[in-house]
Each structure stands twice: as C-alpha cells, then as structure tokens.
Amino acid sequence: CPSNKENKYELPKNILYGNCLDAYIGYSVSEKIRKKSQSGGVVTSLLVYLLDNKLIEGAIVTQFDSETARPKAKFATTTDEIINASGSYYAQTSVINTIMKNNDKLMAVTALGCQAESLHLIKKKFQKIKQPEYVIGLICAEQCSGWMIDDIIKQAHIDQTKEKIFSFRFRSKAVGG
C-alpha cells in the first residue's frame, strides 16, 4: 500500500469494525448489471448513473487485458464499457497513471483503500493536480500478484502460447458464482 512516514494510523474506537457512521446493503435494480457485477452491482450502477446524468465524462474502472493476462485500469466513457468492466480481479492494478492521463476530464474512480490513499497523498503534496470528482471506495479482500492469475491459468491446463485468453473472472455467475 502506498504510504509515507507522515501517514499515521490511529486505532479505531471499535477495534473490530473501525469508526462506522452507518452501514447499508443494496443491489442494482438493473438485472443486466446485477448478473455481470460483483456483490450486487451497486458500484457499477452508481457509475452508470453519474455518466448517464452527465455528472462525469467517464470512469476509471478495471478490466481484463487479454494481451497481458492481467487486470488493467481503463477510462471508460460509455455505459457498456463500465458494465463490461464490472467484477473483481483480486490482483494489483495501478489506477493512478490512468487518472493522471485523464485528469483534464470530469471523472469518477473506483479505488481500493490503498489507491484512494495514493490520491489523498497526491492531493496533499501537489495541490494543483486535479482530482476525480467522485472516488468510490471498494472493500479490499486482498491484492495478489498477477502471477496468481498465471498459476490459475496453468492449473486450467491452458497454454497461452497456443490459446489467447479473452476474458477472466474469479467468480462468474454464468457458472454458479
């Protein structure tokens, strides 16, 4: 996780749950989004809402890159691009470079805690750099190395020198979740 010596962590009041103001549970009302998304599609629905209502020009999302067999950050500018990028990869992805390349646009970003902390540190140190209008925080289960994806592909007996992988999901609702 990106950090520096000035980042000081304070122990939360409730050590098991941290400082919590309130908690909600929900899911997308769009069946298309719910079937393709992770955990009910709330984040995808929020991004589509922001885009459809012209509150943003695009969103930084993560999608599978078939060339590298790794998740990759992308500036999505259409509803279909946002929906197609939904789901989780549990592997390291750099969103900061994609944010910086598109920081002249109105944008939302989906970010894990460490990625949101990077944005906070950039804002603190470089105040003139424009930040995304919306940062939607994701709960991090963990971020593994991309080598984990290689291992899963190898265990599936797929020879990447002979077969190209166009799609990758850790949990696909198409095959039971």
Side-chain angles (χ1 to χ4, degrees):
C1 296
S3 193
N4 65 28
K5 64 183 176 203
E6 285 129 23
N7 263 358
K8 293 187 176 102
Y9 178 75
E10 291 182 28
L11 205 56
K13 290 176 180 57
N14 181 329
I15 196 164
L16 296 177
Y17 300 108
N19 297 324
C20 181
L21 300 177
D22 222 331
Y24 300 90
I25 189 168
Y27 59 88
S28 175
V29 296
S30 164
E31 189 174 338
K32 177 183 177 183
I33 290 175
R34 227 178 21 257
K35 282 186 175 182
K36 188 134 175 64
S37 298
Q38 208 75 37
S39 304
V42 171
V43 170
T44 302
S45 286
L46 287 170
L47 294 175
V48 167
Y49 173 85
L50 291 170
L51 187 66
D52 287 350
N53 288 282
K54 303 197 182 334
L55 297 168
I56 59 171
E57 296 171 69
I60 304 293
V61 295
T62 302
Q63 68 179 33
F64 187 73
D65 181 356
S66 60
E67 296 299 318
T68 62
R70 297 283 187 275
K72 178 181 176 181
K74 172 191 172 107
F75 185 69
T77 58
T78 69
T79 297
D80 284 341
E81 286 179 320
I82 290 171
I83 293 171
N84 289 333
S86 62
S88 298
Y89 292 101
Y90 307 105
Q92 299 163 342
T93 309
S94 174
V95 298
I96 301 300
N97 285 340
T98 308
I99 291 168
M100 299 309 282
K101 286 179 189 170
N102 294 282
N103 79 342
D104 60 328
K105 299 174 179 77
L106 290 171
M107 78 171 86
V109 61
T110 56
L112 297 171
C114 61
Q115 295 163 332
E117 180 65 8
S118 291
L119 286 171
H120 175 74
L121 292 173
I122 290 168
K123 182 179 184 178
K124 208 166 149 183
K125 191 164 184 161
F126 306 101
Q127 285 111 19
K128 292 183 181 180
I129 293 178
K130 186 174 174 270
Q131 295 280 317
E133 278 65 35
Y134 302 92
V135 177
I136 300 173
L138 303 172
I139 296 171
C140 183
E142 66 184 304
Q143 285 195 64
C144 301
S145 163
W147 294 328
M148 176 196 54
I149 294 172
D150 294 340
D151 190 52
I152 291 169
I153 292 168
K154 184 179 174 185
Q155 287 181 44
H157 305 290
I158 296 170
D159 182 351
Q160 291 187 72
T161 61
K162 297 177 183 171
E163 299 177 75
K164 189 171 184 173
I165 297 172
F166 293 96
S167 153
F168 184 91
R169 289 282 185 218
F170 277 92
R171 292 186 267 167
S172 170
K173 292 176 184 147
V175 292

